[in-house]
Amino acid sequence: MFSGGLTACFWPIILVLCLSRNTNILPVAEAIWLTIPSSGTKCVSEEIQSNVVVLADYYVIDENNPDQIPTISARVTSPFGNNLHHNENATHGQFAFTTSESGNYIACFWKDGSHKQDSELTLGIDWKIGIAAKDWDSVAKKEKIEGVELVLRRLQGIVEAIRGNLVYLKDREADMREVSEITNARVAWFSIASLGVCIAVSVLQIWYLKRYFVKKKLI
Amino acid sequence: MMEKRRGKMWALALMCFLLLNWVADVSSLSVTVTDVECVYEYVLYEGDTISGNFVVVDHDIFWTSDHPGIDFVVTSPGGNTVHSLKGTSGDKFEFKAPRSGMYKFCFHNAYSTPETVAFYIHIGHIPSDHDLAKDEHLNPINVKIAKLREALESVTAEQKYLKARDTRHRHTNESTRKRVIGYTVGEYLLLVAASVLQVFYIRRLFSKSVAYNRV
Protein backbone atom coordinates (compact mmCIF):
# COMPACT_ATOMS: atom_id res chain seq x y z
CA MET A 1 0.00 0.00 0.00
CA PHE A 2 2.81 2.35 0.93
CA SER A 3 4.82 1.65 -2.26
CA GLY A 4 1.66 2.04 -4.38
CA GLY A 5 1.02 5.49 -2.89
CA LEU A 6 4.63 6.52 -3.45
CA THR A 7 4.65 5.55 -7.14
CA ALA A 8 1.30 7.29 -7.65
CA CYS A 9 2.93 10.37 -6.14
CA PHE A 10 5.86 10.22 -8.47
CA TRP A 11 4.13 9.63 -11.81
CA PRO A 12 3.55 13.35 -12.56
CA ILE A 13 7.25 14.02 -12.00
CA ILE A 14 8.15 11.15 -14.35
CA LEU A 15 5.70 12.56 -16.90
CA VAL A 16 7.40 15.97 -16.72
CA LEU A 17 10.83 14.41 -17.13
CA CYS A 18 9.77 12.21 -20.05
CA LEU A 19 8.29 15.13 -21.92
CA SER A 20 11.34 17.32 -21.54
CA ARG A 21 13.58 17.56 -24.52
CA ASN A 22 16.93 16.38 -23.29
CA THR A 23 17.16 14.59 -20.01
CA ASN A 24 20.95 14.74 -19.82
CA ILE A 25 21.16 18.51 -20.04
CA LEU A 26 19.59 20.73 -17.47
CA PRO A 27 17.74 22.98 -16.98
CA VAL A 28 14.73 21.93 -18.95
CA ALA A 29 12.88 25.20 -19.10
CA GLU A 30 11.33 25.90 -22.49
CA ALA A 31 13.42 28.32 -24.46
CA ILE A 32 14.40 29.34 -27.95
CA TRP A 33 17.46 27.92 -29.62
CA LEU A 34 19.92 29.96 -31.62
CA THR A 35 22.87 28.90 -33.72
CA ILE A 36 26.18 30.53 -32.97
CA PRO A 37 28.43 30.74 -36.04
CA SER A 38 31.90 29.25 -35.93
CA SER A 39 33.42 32.74 -36.11
CA GLY A 40 31.86 35.96 -34.98
CA THR A 41 29.34 36.74 -32.32
CA LYS A 42 25.61 36.28 -32.14
CA CYS A 43 23.77 38.98 -30.28
CA VAL A 44 20.21 39.24 -29.11
CA SER A 45 18.79 42.45 -27.73
CA GLU A 46 15.65 43.86 -26.30
CA GLU A 47 14.44 47.35 -25.56
CA ILE A 48 13.48 47.36 -21.90
CA GLN A 49 12.19 50.20 -19.74
CA SER A 50 13.71 50.96 -16.38
CA ASN A 51 12.92 49.09 -13.15
CA VAL A 52 12.19 45.76 -14.81
CA VAL A 53 13.52 42.41 -13.59
CA VAL A 54 15.41 40.45 -16.23
CA LEU A 55 16.11 36.76 -15.69
CA ALA A 56 17.92 34.71 -18.29
CA ASP A 57 19.40 31.27 -18.58
CA TYR A 58 21.58 29.99 -21.39
CA TYR A 59 23.03 26.56 -22.15
CA VAL A 60 24.92 24.91 -24.97
CA ILE A 61 23.17 22.05 -26.70
CA ASP A 62 25.34 19.44 -28.32
CA GLU A 63 23.97 15.98 -28.82
CA ASN A 64 26.92 14.72 -30.85
CA ASN A 65 29.50 14.49 -28.12
CA PRO A 66 28.09 14.87 -24.64
CA ASP A 67 31.50 14.31 -23.08
CA GLN A 68 33.16 17.32 -24.62
CA ILE A 69 30.55 20.03 -24.92
CA PRO A 70 31.97 23.11 -26.65
CA THR A 71 32.19 26.19 -24.49
CA ILE A 72 31.05 29.71 -25.20
CA SER A 73 31.54 33.13 -23.75
CA ALA A 74 28.78 35.57 -22.97
CA ARG A 75 28.53 39.26 -22.29
CA VAL A 76 25.52 41.38 -21.41
CA THR A 77 25.73 45.15 -21.79
CA SER A 78 23.40 47.88 -20.67
CA PRO A 79 22.40 50.75 -23.02
CA PHE A 80 25.00 53.02 -21.40
CA GLY A 81 27.75 50.47 -22.04
CA ASN A 82 28.12 48.97 -18.57
CA ASN A 83 29.03 45.31 -18.44
CA LEU A 84 26.26 43.53 -16.54
CA HIS A 85 27.43 39.94 -16.96
CA HIS A 86 30.56 38.38 -18.36
CA ASN A 87 31.27 34.69 -18.55
CA GLU A 88 34.08 32.82 -20.31
CA ASN A 89 34.57 29.15 -21.12
CA ALA A 90 31.19 27.97 -19.90
CA THR A 91 28.61 25.53 -21.17
CA HIS A 92 25.78 27.13 -19.25
CA GLY A 93 25.14 30.15 -17.14
CA GLN A 94 22.52 32.53 -15.96
CA PHE A 95 22.20 36.17 -15.13
CA ALA A 96 19.62 38.31 -13.39
CA PHE A 97 19.46 42.04 -12.94
CA THR A 98 17.00 44.89 -12.51
CA THR A 99 17.22 47.51 -15.22
CA SER A 100 18.21 50.95 -14.00
CA GLU A 101 17.89 52.79 -17.30
CA SER A 102 15.59 52.27 -20.24
CA GLY A 103 17.11 51.34 -23.54
CA ASN A 104 18.53 48.50 -25.55
CA TYR A 105 20.01 45.64 -23.54
CA ILE A 106 22.27 43.37 -25.60
CA ALA A 107 23.45 39.85 -24.80
CA CYS A 108 26.25 38.57 -27.01
CA PHE A 109 27.61 35.04 -27.31
CA TRP A 110 30.64 33.76 -29.14
CA LYS A 111 32.59 30.52 -29.39
CA ASP A 112 35.70 30.13 -27.31
CA GLY A 113 39.10 30.09 -28.93
CA SER A 114 39.89 26.56 -27.78
CA HIS A 115 37.12 25.01 -29.84
CA LYS A 116 37.67 26.62 -33.19
CA GLN A 117 36.01 23.93 -35.27
CA ASP A 118 33.97 24.82 -38.29
CA SER A 119 30.75 23.51 -36.83
CA GLU A 120 28.04 25.77 -35.59
CA LEU A 121 26.87 25.65 -32.05
CA THR A 122 23.31 25.51 -30.78
CA LEU A 123 22.59 27.67 -27.79
CA GLY A 124 19.38 27.61 -25.80
CA ILE A 125 18.28 30.88 -24.22
CA ASP A 126 15.51 31.30 -21.71
CA TRP A 127 14.95 35.05 -21.47
CA LYS A 128 12.24 36.35 -19.16
CA ILE A 129 11.45 39.89 -18.16
CA GLY A 130 8.94 41.53 -15.90
CA ILE A 131 6.03 39.40 -14.74
CA ALA A 132 7.33 36.26 -16.47
CA ALA A 133 10.46 36.41 -14.31
CA LYS A 134 8.53 36.41 -11.05
CA ASP A 135 9.24 33.50 -8.76
CA TRP A 136 5.79 32.06 -8.15
CA ASP A 137 7.07 29.17 -6.05
CA SER A 138 8.25 31.53 -3.35
CA VAL A 139 4.97 33.45 -3.50
CA ALA A 140 3.08 30.17 -3.10
CA LYS A 141 5.24 29.18 -0.14
CA LYS A 142 5.05 32.57 1.52
CA GLU A 143 1.31 33.03 1.23
CA LYS A 144 0.55 29.30 1.45
CA ILE A 145 -1.62 29.20 -1.65
CA GLU A 146 -1.65 26.47 -4.22
CA GLY A 147 -3.62 25.01 -7.06
CA VAL A 148 -6.34 27.09 -8.64
CA GLU A 149 -5.75 30.03 -6.33
CA LEU A 150 -2.11 30.25 -7.39
CA VAL A 151 -3.12 30.06 -11.03
CA LEU A 152 -5.61 32.87 -10.60
CA ARG A 153 -3.03 34.93 -8.74
CA ARG A 154 -0.69 34.46 -11.72
CA LEU A 155 -3.42 35.59 -14.09
CA GLN A 156 -3.98 38.65 -11.95
CA GLY A 157 -0.26 39.42 -12.18
CA ILE A 158 -0.44 39.11 -15.97
CA VAL A 159 -3.41 41.48 -16.11
CA GLU A 160 -1.60 44.06 -14.00
CA ALA A 161 1.43 43.78 -16.28
CA ILE A 162 -0.85 44.32 -19.29
CA ARG A 163 -2.20 47.49 -17.73
CA GLY A 164 1.31 48.74 -16.96
CA ASN A 165 2.35 48.06 -20.55
CA LEU A 166 -0.67 49.93 -21.85
CA VAL A 167 0.20 53.03 -19.82
CA TYR A 168 3.79 52.82 -21.06
CA LEU A 169 2.68 52.53 -24.68
CA LYS A 170 0.35 55.50 -24.22
CA ASP A 171 3.21 57.65 -22.91
CA ARG A 172 5.49 56.64 -25.75
CA GLU A 173 2.82 57.40 -28.30
CA ALA A 174 2.31 60.83 -26.71
CA ASP A 175 6.06 61.54 -27.03
CA MET A 176 6.07 60.49 -30.64
CA ARG A 177 3.06 62.63 -31.41
CA GLU A 178 4.89 65.64 -30.01
CA VAL A 179 7.86 64.98 -32.26
CA SER A 180 5.52 64.60 -35.25
CA GLU A 181 3.75 67.87 -34.44
CA ILE A 182 7.06 69.71 -34.10
CA THR A 183 8.29 68.30 -37.41
CA ASN A 184 5.02 69.30 -39.08
CA ALA A 185 5.28 72.88 -37.78
CA ARG A 186 8.92 73.05 -38.83
CA VAL A 187 8.16 71.92 -42.39
CA ALA A 188 5.52 74.66 -42.72
CA TRP A 189 7.75 77.40 -41.29
CA PHE A 190 10.82 76.38 -43.26
CA SER A 191 8.87 76.45 -46.54
CA ILE A 192 7.68 79.99 -45.87
CA ALA A 193 11.20 80.92 -44.80
CA SER A 194 12.63 79.52 -48.03
CA LEU A 195 10.26 81.80 -49.94
CA GLY A 196 11.55 84.68 -47.81
CA VAL A 197 15.17 83.67 -48.51
CA CYS A 198 14.42 83.54 -52.21
CA ILE A 199 12.92 87.02 -52.24
CA ALA A 200 15.69 88.47 -50.08
CA VAL A 201 18.42 86.97 -52.24
CA SER A 202 16.87 88.25 -55.47
CA VAL A 203 16.43 91.74 -54.00
CA LEU A 204 20.09 91.73 -52.99
CA GLN A 205 21.06 90.60 -56.49
CA ILE A 206 19.12 93.38 -58.18
CA TRP A 207 20.48 96.00 -55.77
CA TYR A 208 24.06 94.84 -56.32
CA LEU A 209 23.75 94.67 -60.09
CA LYS A 210 22.18 98.13 -60.26
CA ARG A 211 25.04 99.52 -58.19
CA TYR A 212 27.54 97.73 -60.43
CA PHE A 213 26.04 99.04 -63.66
CA VAL A 214 25.86 102.56 -62.29
CA LYS A 215 29.51 102.26 -61.30
CA LYS A 216 30.45 101.04 -64.78
CA LYS A 217 28.45 103.88 -66.26
CA LEU A 218 26.24 101.53 -68.25
CA ILE A 219 22.97 102.88 -66.87
CA MET B 1 -5.19 9.85 6.11
CA MET B 2 -5.96 8.27 2.74
CA GLU B 3 -7.89 11.42 1.73
CA LYS B 4 -5.05 13.63 2.88
CA ARG B 5 -2.57 11.68 0.75
CA ARG B 6 -4.94 11.71 -2.22
CA GLY B 7 -5.49 15.44 -1.77
CA LYS B 8 -1.71 15.96 -1.72
CA MET B 9 -1.31 13.86 -4.87
CA TRP B 10 -4.05 15.84 -6.59
CA ALA B 11 -2.35 19.11 -5.70
CA LEU B 12 1.02 17.81 -6.87
CA ALA B 13 -0.51 16.53 -10.12
CA LEU B 14 -2.20 19.86 -10.69
CA MET B 15 1.05 21.71 -10.06
CA CYS B 16 2.87 19.44 -12.51
CA PHE B 17 0.10 19.80 -15.05
CA LEU B 18 0.24 23.56 -14.71
CA LEU B 19 4.00 23.37 -15.11
CA LEU B 20 3.42 21.67 -18.44
CA ASN B 21 0.87 24.29 -19.42
CA TRP B 22 3.15 27.24 -18.92
CA VAL B 23 5.20 26.35 -21.93
CA ALA B 24 7.26 28.09 -24.52
CA ASP B 25 6.91 31.76 -23.77
CA VAL B 26 9.92 33.82 -24.70
CA SER B 27 10.07 37.55 -24.33
CA SER B 28 10.15 39.74 -27.36
CA LEU B 29 13.78 39.52 -28.50
CA SER B 30 15.51 41.39 -31.29
CA VAL B 31 18.05 39.86 -33.56
CA THR B 32 20.07 41.44 -36.38
CA VAL B 33 19.49 39.75 -39.71
CA THR B 34 22.32 40.10 -42.21
CA ASP B 35 21.46 37.18 -44.47
CA VAL B 36 19.53 34.43 -42.67
CA GLU B 37 18.76 34.15 -38.99
CA CYS B 38 16.97 31.14 -37.60
CA VAL B 39 15.34 30.61 -34.23
CA TYR B 40 14.29 27.18 -33.06
CA GLU B 41 11.49 26.38 -30.68
CA TYR B 42 10.20 23.06 -29.44
CA VAL B 43 6.50 22.23 -29.66
CA LEU B 44 5.42 19.63 -27.12
CA TYR B 45 1.99 18.66 -28.38
CA GLU B 46 0.54 18.25 -31.83
CA GLY B 47 -2.26 20.72 -32.45
CA ASP B 48 -0.77 23.47 -30.32
CA THR B 49 -1.36 26.99 -31.57
CA ILE B 50 1.85 28.73 -32.53
CA SER B 51 1.28 32.46 -32.52
CA GLY B 52 3.55 35.41 -32.66
CA ASN B 53 4.61 38.53 -34.47
CA PHE B 54 7.71 40.20 -35.77
CA VAL B 55 8.56 43.77 -36.74
CA VAL B 56 11.51 45.01 -38.74
CA VAL B 57 12.89 47.87 -36.67
CA ASP B 58 15.22 49.28 -39.25
CA HIS B 59 18.06 51.63 -38.70
CA ASP B 60 18.07 55.24 -39.73
CA ILE B 61 17.84 55.50 -43.46
CA PHE B 62 18.86 58.91 -44.59
CA TRP B 63 19.22 59.08 -48.33
CA THR B 64 17.90 55.80 -49.69
CA SER B 65 14.30 54.67 -49.69
CA ASP B 66 12.67 52.19 -47.35
CA HIS B 67 14.02 48.63 -47.12
CA PRO B 68 11.80 46.32 -49.22
CA GLY B 69 11.24 43.94 -46.31
CA ILE B 70 12.32 40.55 -45.12
CA ASP B 71 10.93 37.05 -45.69
CA PHE B 72 9.73 34.86 -42.85
CA VAL B 73 9.55 31.06 -43.18
CA VAL B 74 8.45 28.51 -40.58
CA THR B 75 9.66 24.95 -41.15
CA SER B 76 8.16 21.94 -39.40
CA PRO B 77 10.35 19.17 -37.97
CA GLY B 78 9.54 17.11 -41.06
CA GLY B 79 11.12 19.73 -43.31
CA ASN B 80 8.07 21.23 -45.01
CA THR B 81 7.22 24.89 -44.90
CA VAL B 82 4.31 25.46 -42.59
CA HIS B 83 3.99 29.23 -42.90
CA SER B 84 5.70 31.87 -45.00
CA LEU B 85 5.48 35.62 -45.45
CA LYS B 86 7.38 37.47 -48.13
CA GLY B 87 8.76 41.00 -48.22
CA THR B 88 7.02 42.42 -45.17
CA SER B 89 8.16 44.99 -42.67
CA GLY B 90 6.40 43.14 -39.87
CA ASP B 91 3.34 40.96 -39.38
CA LYS B 92 1.47 38.70 -36.98
CA PHE B 93 1.10 34.99 -37.53
CA GLU B 94 -0.92 32.18 -36.02
CA PHE B 95 -1.26 28.57 -37.05
CA LYS B 96 -1.80 25.15 -35.61
CA ALA B 97 1.24 22.92 -35.32
CA PRO B 98 0.68 19.82 -37.50
CA ARG B 99 3.01 17.74 -35.34
CA SER B 100 5.18 18.02 -32.28
CA GLY B 101 8.90 18.56 -32.54
CA MET B 102 11.46 21.26 -33.19
CA TYR B 103 10.20 24.07 -35.38
CA LYS B 104 12.48 26.47 -37.22
CA PHE B 105 11.54 30.14 -37.64
CA CYS B 106 13.78 31.83 -40.22
CA PHE B 107 14.16 35.42 -41.34
CA HIS B 108 15.68 35.97 -44.78
CA ASN B 109 17.21 39.28 -45.79
CA ALA B 110 17.60 39.56 -49.55
CA TYR B 111 19.63 42.77 -49.42
CA SER B 112 22.99 43.53 -47.95
CA THR B 113 21.94 46.09 -45.33
CA PRO B 114 21.56 44.39 -41.94
CA GLU B 115 18.15 44.77 -40.38
CA THR B 116 17.05 44.38 -36.78
CA VAL B 117 13.99 42.20 -36.32
CA ALA B 118 12.05 42.14 -33.04
CA PHE B 119 10.09 38.90 -32.79
CA TYR B 120 7.84 37.14 -30.32
CA ILE B 121 6.84 33.48 -30.51
CA HIS B 122 4.31 31.84 -28.23
CA ILE B 123 3.21 28.22 -28.19
CA GLY B 124 -0.08 27.75 -26.43
CA HIS B 125 -1.60 24.51 -25.33
CA ILE B 126 -5.20 24.04 -24.27
CA PRO B 127 -6.05 20.57 -22.96
CA SER B 128 -8.64 18.98 -25.19
CA ASP B 129 -11.49 16.64 -24.28
CA HIS B 130 -9.24 13.71 -25.09
CA ASP B 131 -6.78 14.84 -22.43
CA LEU B 132 -9.67 15.30 -20.01
CA ALA B 133 -10.85 11.77 -20.61
CA LYS B 134 -7.35 10.30 -20.28
CA ASP B 135 -6.36 12.02 -17.07
CA GLU B 136 -8.72 11.75 -14.14
CA HIS B 137 -6.98 14.55 -12.28
CA LEU B 138 -7.94 17.13 -14.91
CA ASN B 139 -11.00 19.24 -14.36
CA PRO B 140 -13.01 21.23 -16.89
CA ILE B 141 -11.89 24.22 -14.85
CA ASN B 142 -8.32 23.58 -16.05
CA VAL B 143 -9.55 23.94 -19.64
CA LYS B 144 -11.24 27.22 -18.81
CA ILE B 145 -8.17 28.50 -17.01
CA ALA B 146 -5.97 27.49 -19.95
CA LYS B 147 -8.30 29.33 -22.36
CA LEU B 148 -8.24 32.40 -20.10
CA ARG B 149 -4.51 32.30 -19.96
CA GLU B 150 -4.25 32.02 -23.74
CA ALA B 151 -6.58 35.00 -24.16
CA LEU B 152 -4.43 37.10 -21.83
CA GLU B 153 -1.37 35.88 -23.69
CA SER B 154 -2.82 37.16 -26.97
CA VAL B 155 -3.31 40.60 -25.39
CA THR B 156 0.30 40.59 -24.21
CA ALA B 157 1.46 39.51 -27.68
CA GLU B 158 -0.49 42.37 -29.24
CA GLN B 159 1.13 44.81 -26.83
CA LYS B 160 4.60 43.55 -27.71
CA TYR B 161 3.75 43.99 -31.40
CA LEU B 162 2.53 47.54 -30.77
CA LYS B 163 5.65 48.34 -28.80
CA ALA B 164 7.91 47.09 -31.61
CA ARG B 165 5.92 49.05 -34.22
CA ASP B 166 6.09 52.13 -32.05
CA THR B 167 9.89 51.77 -32.00
CA ARG B 168 9.91 51.52 -35.78
CA HIS B 169 7.73 54.62 -36.12
CA ARG B 170 9.95 56.45 -33.68
CA HIS B 171 12.99 55.74 -35.86
CA THR B 172 11.11 56.94 -38.95
CA ASN B 173 10.05 60.11 -37.12
CA GLU B 174 13.56 60.89 -35.95
CA SER B 175 14.90 60.29 -39.44
CA THR B 176 12.24 62.60 -40.91
CA ARG B 177 13.03 65.32 -38.39
CA LYS B 178 16.73 65.18 -39.16
CA ARG B 179 16.08 65.13 -42.88
CA VAL B 180 13.77 68.17 -42.72
CA ILE B 181 16.49 70.23 -41.08
CA GLY B 182 19.19 68.86 -43.37
CA TYR B 183 17.30 69.42 -46.59
CA THR B 184 16.17 72.93 -45.56
CA VAL B 185 19.65 74.13 -44.69
CA GLY B 186 20.93 72.57 -47.90
CA GLU B 187 18.19 74.30 -49.88
CA TYR B 188 19.04 77.72 -48.43
CA LEU B 189 22.74 77.30 -49.12
CA LEU B 190 22.00 76.22 -52.70
CA LEU B 191 19.80 79.28 -53.25
CA VAL B 192 22.45 81.66 -51.98
CA ALA B 193 25.16 79.88 -53.98
CA ALA B 194 23.06 80.00 -57.18
CA SER B 195 22.38 83.71 -56.84
CA VAL B 196 26.04 84.51 -56.12
CA LEU B 197 27.03 82.53 -59.19
CA GLN B 198 24.46 84.47 -61.24
CA VAL B 199 25.91 87.79 -60.09
CA PHE B 200 29.44 86.69 -60.94
CA TYR B 201 28.37 85.50 -64.36
CA ILE B 202 26.66 88.78 -65.20
CA ARG B 203 29.72 90.68 -64.00
CA ARG B 204 31.88 88.56 -66.26
CA LEU B 205 29.61 89.32 -69.23
CA PHE B 206 30.18 93.01 -68.73
CA SER B 207 33.87 92.86 -68.00
CA LYS B 208 36.37 94.36 -70.40
CA SER B 209 38.63 91.31 -70.68
CA VAL B 210 35.92 89.28 -72.42
CA ALA B 211 34.93 90.25 -75.97
CA TYR B 212 34.52 94.00 -75.78
CA ASN B 213 31.39 94.58 -77.75
CA ARG B 214 29.59 91.33 -77.23
CA VAL B 215 26.84 92.65 -75.01
Side-chain angles (χ1 to χ4, degrees):
Chain A
M1 192 191 290
F2 177 73
S3 58
L6 215 58
T7 41
C9 232
F10 276 122
W11 77 257
I13 302 170
I14 295 169
L15 187 64
V16 171
L17 281 176
C18 285
L19 285 173
S20 57
R21 218 173 29 246
N22 256 323
T23 47
N24 59 340
I25 296 174
L26 23 93
V28 286
E30 288 296 334
I32 60 163
W33 286 6
L34 295 172
T35 51
I36 299 187
S38 42
S39 66
T41 63
K42 176 69 74 93
C43 292
V44 288
S45 58
E46 184 171 356
E47 195 166 329
I48 312 176
Q49 59 224 78
S50 62
N51 249 352
V52 171
V53 176
V54 178
L55 188 67
D57 221 329
Y58 56 93
Y59 45 92
V60 177
I61 295 150
D62 193 2
E63 288 143 354
N64 300 333
N65 43 346
D67 307 319
Q68 205 201 15
I69 303 174
T71 57
I72 50 127
S73 302
R75 171 179 283 131
V76 181
T77 41
S78 80
F80 288 172
N82 305 338
N83 199 357
L84 292 165
H85 171 81
H86 187 67
N87 207 1
E88 302 256 0
N89 274 341
T91 55
H92 63 271
Q94 65 170 169
F95 52 89
F97 56 90
T98 309
T99 57
S100 51
E101 59 253 359
S102 77
N104 223 13
Y105 285 78
I106 308 171
C108 286
F109 305 92
W110 63 95
K111 267 179 103 158
D112 265 337
S114 50
H115 289 277
K116 271 273 188 276
Q117 296 132 351
D118 284 324
S119 61
E120 288 185 334
L121 217 88
T122 312
L123 180 83
I125 303 176
D126 189 19
W127 174 282
K128 293 200 261 269
I129 67 167
I131 192 69
K134 192 160 175 179
D135 186 12
W136 289 106
D137 294 330
S138 65
V139 170
K141 268 197 210 83
K142 195 175 73 164
E143 306 194 16
K144 293 191 183 50
I145 51 176
E146 56 179 22
V148 177
E149 195 181 339
L150 181 64
V151 169
L152 290 177
R153 193 66 75 87
R154 266 182 97 137
L155 292 180
Q156 184 191 9
I158 293 176
V159 168
E160 276 165 10
I162 286 175
R163 188 173 170 276
N165 266 340
L166 202 56
V167 169
Y168 173 68
L169 282 176
K170 199 173 83 146
D171 290 337
R172 270 171 77 108
E173 203 262 336
D175 285 341
M176 229 177 36
R177 193 187 160 81
E178 281 226 14
V179 172
S180 292
E181 295 274 331
I182 288 172
T183 308
N184 184 32
R186 274 200 193 149
V187 164
W189 280 116
F190 286 173
S191 311
I192 294 173
S194 86
L195 184 66
V197 165
C198 213
I199 291 172
V201 156
S202 52
V203 162
L204 273 171
Q205 262 186 329
I206 291 171
W207 172 79
Y208 178 79
L209 284 171
K210 191 162 176 188
R211 215 182 62 141
Y212 179 76
F213 289 156
V214 164
K215 203 170 75 168
K216 295 283 179 188
K217 296 196 175 45
L218 287 167
I219 299 179
Chain B
M1 175 146 153
M2 198 59 167
E3 273 84 44
K4 214 188 198 175
R5 178 162 283 175
R6 192 170 291 158
K8 234 185 177 173
M9 281 195 303
W10 193 91
L12 190 64
L14 183 65
M15 287 290 281
C16 292
F17 166 74
L18 295 169
L19 205 71
L20 292 176
N21 248 354
W22 259 262
V23 293
D25 189 14
V26 75
S27 209
S28 150
L29 283 176
S30 304
V31 83
T32 308
V33 180
T34 321
D35 186 21
V36 171
E37 285 294 334
C38 288
V39 172
Y40 302 82
E41 184 123 27
Y42 193 80
V43 177
L44 277 173
Y45 302 95
E46 174 194 323
D48 278 353
T49 311
I50 301 178
S51 61
N53 52 65
F54 67 97
V55 173
V56 179
V57 180
D58 37 25
H59 305 287
D60 290 317
I61 299 170
F62 213 81
W63 302 113
T64 62
S65 61
D66 219 7
H67 192 267
I70 59 161
D71 306 331
F72 175 66
V73 176
V74 183
T75 316
S76 77
N80 14 330
T81 305
V82 178
H83 195 80
S84 82
L85 290 159
K86 289 220 180 303
T88 61
S89 64
D91 210 347
K92 299 184 233 187
F93 58 89
E94 184 175 334
F95 57 91
K96 263 190 157 33
R99 47 176 281 198
S100 64
M102 183 62 70
Y103 278 75
K104 192 161 85 157
F105 302 82
C106 285
F107 301 98
H108 297 267
N109 188 3
Y111 298 85
S112 53
T113 47
E115 296 290 328
T116 309
V117 177
F119 62 90
Y120 172 72
I121 301 166
H122 171 70
I123 300 175
H125 174 74
I126 298 175
S128 61
D129 299 329
H130 182 62
D131 296 326
L132 274 180
K134 257 196 319 192
D135 191 356
E136 65 194 26
H137 293 290
L138 287 184
N139 231 343
I141 199 173
N142 296 119
V143 179
K144 280 291 178 211
I145 288 178
K147 283 195 181 139
L148 192 60
R149 213 253 167 183
E150 287 304 308
L152 284 180
E153 199 50 60
S154 72
V155 177
T156 312
E158 184 74 30
Q159 283 192 326
K160 290 196 201 294
Y161 179 66
L162 288 176
K163 184 170 151 191
R165 279 203 82 91
D166 174 273
T167 311
R168 185 188 156 92
H169 288 159
R170 179 180 291 263
H171 284 176
T172 308
N173 259 3
E174 287 287 320
S175 161
T176 305
R177 190 180 63 91
K178 283 188 211 153
R179 271 185 291 173
V180 159
I181 295 177
Y183 292 169
T184 317
V185 168
E187 185 190 339
Y188 293 173
L189 286 174
L190 272 175
L191 265 177
V192 171
S195 56
V196 165
L197 279 171
Q198 273 181 327
V199 168
F200 277 140
Y201 181 67
I202 291 172
R203 271 180 65 145
R204 214 173 76 98
L205 285 176
F206 282 94
S207 76
K208 288 197 172 56
S209 58
V210 179
Y212 195 86
N213 288 317
R214 225 175 54 174
V215 178

